[in-house]
C-alpha cells in the first residue's frame, strides 16, 4: 500500500509539472500598471487592452484575448499582448484618452493605432499582422496596375533617381501611422508614368496630390482627410475615424438596403459629391441601413426602417441632430436640399438632449418587447438577468397580495 501510495504521489507531481509546462508554453497576457507601463511599453510592439473588471464586454472577450496571445506566440510574432485595469491605473488610461471599455490599441513607440474591429481572436490577429507589416512596400508595374483597377484607396510615393532620402524617410514615418487606415506603396517615375510626388488614388479616376511641407504629421493629417473617395461606405471603423477628425462635422448619408444597395442612387449622390458648392462642408458616405450593426442607430435615432430605404439625410456628428430629405433622390433635388441645410432653413431633428435620450431608451424597450430580448440578453446578460428577477419578484408580490386581500363584504341595506 505504501508503494502504491508513493506511486500515486509521484504520478500526481508529474502531472502538475506537465500542466505547469503547458501553462508556461501558452501565450500570456501581461498585466500592466502605472508602475511598470512606461518602462515596458517604451520598447517593442504591444497590443493593449484597456478594461474595467466590471465591464461585461471585457469579460466576454477574455477568451479571445488569451487565444490571440497564444496564436501570436505560436507564430513567433514579436508583439506583446497586455492589458491595463483602468480602475487601478487611471493615469495610464487618461494618457491614452480611453473613453470606453474595452479599448484596444496597437502601440509601437509613438505609433498608436486604435482597433475598432470585431473582438475575435482571428480578426485581432489579422489586425496585428497588418500593423507590423512594412509601412511602405515597393510595387512593380503589374502590381500597380492591379491596385489602380481596384476601388480601394491607396497612397503612392513616386520617386526618381535623385529623390531625397530625407523625403522618403519622412513619408515612411508617416506611413507607419497609416499602415492600417491606408495601404502605402512606393514606385518609380518610370513605372508610374507620373512626376515624382505623393499621391492618393481613390478609384474611378480620383486622385489627390500632396503639396504641403515635408513633415510626417502634416502628411498623416492630409492622408486621413483625403483618403476617402467622393462617396465611401460608412463602417464602424470609418465612423470612428471621422468622429475623431476635426475637419468633419456634417455627414451627407445615403441609406440603402443591403451591402450593394441601389447603384442608381449611389451614382446620383456621387455625381453631387463631385460637384461641391462653396457653402458645403459635407463628407459624402453611404450606409447599409439594413445591417445589424446599424439597425439600432437607424431605427432608434433616425426613426427609419428597411421599408423606408433608400433615403438621404444629413447628420451632425457633433450635436447628434439630423436633417431628413423627403423628396425625390435626384441630383438637383439633393443639391437644393444640401443648399437649404447649409443656409439653416431646414429644421433639425434629434440631438443629444435628455428628452431624445429618453426617447431612444423607450425605443430600445419597445424593440425588446417586440422580439429582441434574446439579442439583448446576449449583449447585456447581467442587466437582463436583474430585470427578469425584478419582474418575477414584482409578480410574486402582486399575486401574494391579491391572494391575501379579504373578499369584500356585502353592504347591508336598510
Amino acid at each position: 500500500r505504501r508503494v502504491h501510495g508513493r506511486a500515486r504521489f509521484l504520478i500526481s507531481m508529474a502531472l502538475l509539472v506537465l500542466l505547469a509546462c503547458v501553462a508556461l508554453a501558452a501565450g500570456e497576457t501581461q498585466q500592466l500598471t502605472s508602475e511598470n507601463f512606461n518602462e515596458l511599453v517604451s520598447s517593442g510592439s504591444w497590443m493593449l487592452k484597456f478594461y474595467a473588471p466590471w465591464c461585461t464586454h471585457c469579460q466576454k472577450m477574455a477568451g479571445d484575448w488569451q487565444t490571440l496571445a497564444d496564436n501570436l506566440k505560436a507564430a513567433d510574432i514579436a508583439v506583446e499582448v497586455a492589458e491595463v485595469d483602468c480602475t487601478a491605473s487611471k493615469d495610464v488610461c487618461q494618457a491614452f484618452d480611453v473613453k470606453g471599455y474595452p479599448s484596444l490599441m496597437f502601440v509601437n513607440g509613438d505609433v498608436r493605432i486604435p482597433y475598432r474591429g470585431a473582438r475575435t481572436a482571428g480578426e485581432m490577429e489579422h489586425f496585428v499582422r497588418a500593423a507590423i507589416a512594412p509601412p511602405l512596400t515597393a510595387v512593380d508595374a503589374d502590381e500597380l496596375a492591379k491596385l489602380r483597377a481596384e476601388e480601394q484607396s491607396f497612397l503612392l510615393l513616386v520617386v526618381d533617381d535623385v529623390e531625397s532620402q530625407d523625403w522618403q524617410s519622412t513619408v515612411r514615418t508617416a506611413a507607419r501611422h497609416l499602415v492600417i487606415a491606408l495601404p502605402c506603396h512606393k514606385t518609380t517615375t518610370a513605372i508610374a508614368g507620373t512626376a515624382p510626388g505623393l499621391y492618393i488614388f481613390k478609384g474611378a479616376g480620383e486622385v489627390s496630390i500632396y503639396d504641403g511641407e515635408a513633415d510626417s504629421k502634416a502628411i498623416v493629417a492630409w492622408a486621413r482627410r483625403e483618403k476617402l473617395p467622393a462617396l465611401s461606405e460608412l463602417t464602424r471603423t470609418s465612423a470612428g475615424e471621422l468622429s475623431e477628425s476635426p475637419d468633419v462635422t456634417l455627414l451627407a448619408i445615403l441609406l440603402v438596403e443591403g451591402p450593394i444597395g441601389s447603384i442608381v442612387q449611389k451614382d446620383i449622390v456621387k455625381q453631387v459629391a463631385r460637384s461641391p458648392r462653396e457653402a458645403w462642408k459635407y463628407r459624402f458616405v453611404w450606409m447599409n441601413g439594413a445591417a445589424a450593426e446599424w439597425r439600432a442607430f437607424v431605427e432608434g435615432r433616425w426613426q427609419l426602417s428597411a421599408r423606408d430605404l433608400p433615403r438621404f439625410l444629413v447628420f451632425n456628428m457633433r450635436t447628434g441632430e439630423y436633417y431628413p430629405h423627403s423628396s425625390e433622390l435626384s441630383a438637383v433635388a439633393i443639391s437644393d436640399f444640401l443648399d437649404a441645410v447649409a443656409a439653416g432653413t431646414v429644421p433639425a431633428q434629434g440631438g443629444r438632449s435628455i428628452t431624445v435620450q429618453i426617447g431612444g431608451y423607450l425605443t430600445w424597450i419597445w424593440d425588446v418587447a417586440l422580439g429582441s430580448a434574446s439579442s439583448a440578453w446576449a449583449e447585456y446578460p447581467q442587466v437582463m438577468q436583474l430585470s427578469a428577477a425584478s419582474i418575477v419578484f414584482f409578480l410574486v408580490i402582486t399575486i401574494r397580495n391579491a391572494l391575501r386581500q379579504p373578499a369584500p363584504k356585502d353592504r347591508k341595506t336598510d
Side-chain angles (χ1 to χ4, degrees), residues 24 192 377:
L24 289 174
W377 192 289

Side-chain angles (χ1 to χ4, degrees), residues 25 233 382:
E233 181 181 6
Q382 294 178 342

Side-chain angles (χ1 to χ4, degrees), residues 307-345:
R307 62 177 176 271
D308 299 316
L309 308 182
R311 194 73 178 269
F312 187 82
L313 58 84
V314 171
F315 177 62
N316 189 317
M317 300 187 71
R318 301 290 178 260
T319 66
E321 297 174 326
Y322 68 98
Y323 308 82
H325 174 63
S326 57
S327 61
E328 62 175 341
L329 291 179
S330 67
V332 174
I334 291 175
S335 297
D336 291 344
F337 167 72
L338 293 175
D339 283 338
V341 172
T345 59

Side-chain angles (χ1 to χ4, degrees), residues 13-50:
M13 292 301 295
L15 288 174
L16 288 174
V17 171
L18 179 61
L19 291 173
C21 292
V22 171
L24 289 174
E28 296 182 354
T29 58
Q30 300 186 48
Q31 189 72 35
L32 301 179
T33 65
S34 300
E35 288 72 26
N36 63 11
F37 185 90
N38 290 333
E39 178 184 356
L40 294 175
V41 180
S42 61
S43 61
S45 298
W46 295 78
M47 186 63 178
L48 302 177
K49 176 177 72 173
F50 300 93

Side-chain angles (χ1 to χ4, degrees), residues 240-251:
E241 294 175 352
L242 289 172
S243 67
E244 296 172 358
S245 173
D247 301 323
V248 179
T249 298
L250 297 174
L251 295 182

Side-chain angles (χ1 to χ4, degrees), residues 30 100 119 131 211 228 322:
Q30 300 186 48
R119 302 185 191 111
D211 59 358
L228 296 177
Y322 68 98

